[in-house]
Amino acid sequence: MAALINVVWALGLALWSYAIWRIAPALYALLKPSPLRYIPGAPAPSWLFGNLKQLSSVEEPIIQEGWVEKYGKTIKFKGWFSRDTLFTMDTKAINYILTHSSDYPKPEASRFNLSQFLGNGVLVVEGEQHRKQRRIINPAFGPAQIRELTGIFVDKSLQLRDVWKNEVLAHGDSARIDVVKGLSKMTLDVIGLAGFNYSFDALNVHGKPNELNEVFRTIFGTAGKRGSVFGMLKFIFPPLRLIPTERSKRVTKAQRDMRRIGMQLIAEKKADVMRASAQKKKIDNGLDGLQNRDLLTLLIKANMATDLPEDHRLSDEDVLAQVPTFLVAGHETTSTATTWCLYALSHALEVQQKLREELLDIPTDHPTMDELQELPYLDAVIRETMRVYPPVPTAARIAGIDDVIPLNEPYTDIRGAVHDGIRVEKGTAIDVPLLALHRSKELWGEDALEFRPERWESIPDTVHSVPGVWSHLMTFLGGPRACIGYRFSIVEMKALVFTLVRAFEFELAVSPQNIEKQGVVIRRPFVKSEKHKGSQLPVHVKLYKRE
Ligand code: HEM
Ligand SMILES: *[C@@H]1O[C@H](CO)[C@@H](O)[C@H](O)[C@H]1NC(C)=O
Ligand SMILES: *[C@@H]1O[C@H](CO)[C@@H](O)[C@H](O)[C@H]1NC(C)=O
């Protein structure tokens, strides 16, 4: 008995010391003067939540925009426990933060959340490890590789078209369809086939439940839930992660299954690369001989190249971590972007018709990547969608070092002093605006808030300062941590919009005022009166008949 009490005591003490060890630096960070203390910003309504509740009470970043109008481009707001967070619309500062990605990593909390499910994939790791992974993975996402995958994008678009067509025909002339469901299945099927040559077959209504699909649902069906207190505690006290809960047991099993399936895929791809190289005698001599054209095969081939320095090679663990990473990064982002495109088209009916006329000029249902890329109005519609409805609205970063961030436009602090740089300290939180930059009238002109694809015929010079990797937009971020899959998703979206707008006429089934944009990580549409149903977009879909 006494021994037991001693053990309990010792355990308690250990946990307590650990808590102090963990919390002390955080407490110190909260109590010491913030390097942002003289940067202007609005007062926080709550100590605990800072400005966070206020900021998430509206759909668009209009509160930040109001502050920027009042105080200037460089401001701060308060996060959890009223911690100062830097917010700047200065494109030079943003460019600096994004290009110095090793000095401005992701905050530990968001990395922890991601790494729970993604392992140490390229979305999660930092520094040298990230550079190493990116070097091996980059070539798989090049234009020539995406060209090879376009057939998958088009085939799956046609399959979705047929699913919706059958639904419409079952109702006569037109049906009310939640487009989120179909688009989400379609993009899952695509990332399965294009990413790993794995068939989820999510669009197949008669198909059997698929193993990886179930695993994926288990992991992300529960991960999507709003943060619980226990979840938060587990972040602060890693030992608590060992305590099994109903959910954690299911997730652990799913992770085990994911691992097994991933390892099996890797073994298959390796065998393919070995076989092809035995045939060709030389492994790094083009794709010829490979049966698989998927991203994972290309990655493994690059990783097995004989001329690769040994310390550049990824371990099996690292390769494995890319499987859930591609699934997560490539699936709902692309389906959400396409959903917003249908949303925009289904209340800008003249844009929809003008686009349809361009698309119907192409005499085939099976366009190549080049044919898709050469359609100017389709291109403008996709760019405008990505500008007005970027699926990821902001990116969180912290300063990894004490630094001064350079500015285009000096800011005046609350004491009246003018600064041409922002002083930050290791640990300073930064909120990088994506959506807010796309809404800037200074950059895009007075009609910045309108959906108007025609603007892409001649965009203002001011937008050249936006440090995005694609199209002067922040949608895919910029710098060394920009989205690796942007070409992939643009061509996939074009294949979808090409196929669907040729086949159907779309009209919103609820008033636009009844659609709400929600989500911190990915902004999705919800029907206000049916929030409990999750993200959805009901649209009247009608077969298009050519006159
Ligand atoms: C419309 C679709 C997409 C959007 C809006 C999007 C957006 C983004 C953004 C904003 C980031 C940066 C996140 C951050 O660092 O905070 C990112 C990173 C990433 N994306 Fe995408 N993405 C899309 C599609 C895809 C696809 C199709 C794939 C893969 C097949 C993909 C793979 C990745 C990966 C691996 C990263 C991490 C890159 C790194 O940290 O080096 N994404 N994406
Ligand atoms: C991470 O997950 C926890 C618990 O699930 C949640 O409270 C927190 O908001 C999440 N943080 C981020 C940055 O997503
Ligand atoms: C998938 O595998 C099959 C059979 O090995 C092969 O014929 C096909 O070309 C592969 N597809 C891709 C995209 O790798």
Side-chain angles (χ1 to χ4, degrees), residues 209-226:
N210 168 296
E211 191 179 18
L212 192 49
N213 204 346
E214 293 298 307
V215 168
F216 200 63
R217 262 169 209 285
T218 311
I219 297 184
F220 293 99
T222 49
K225 290 245 167 65
R226 278 271 145 185

Side-chain angles (χ1 to χ4, degrees), residues 123-141:
L123 194 62
V124 173
V125 292
E126 296 281 354
E128 187 46 46
Q129 230 186 336
H130 175 260
R131 265 189 298 279
K132 183 171 160 186
Q133 292 197 7
R134 210 46 215 227
R135 199 160 40 219
I136 298 288
I137 304 171
N138 264 337
F141 286 90

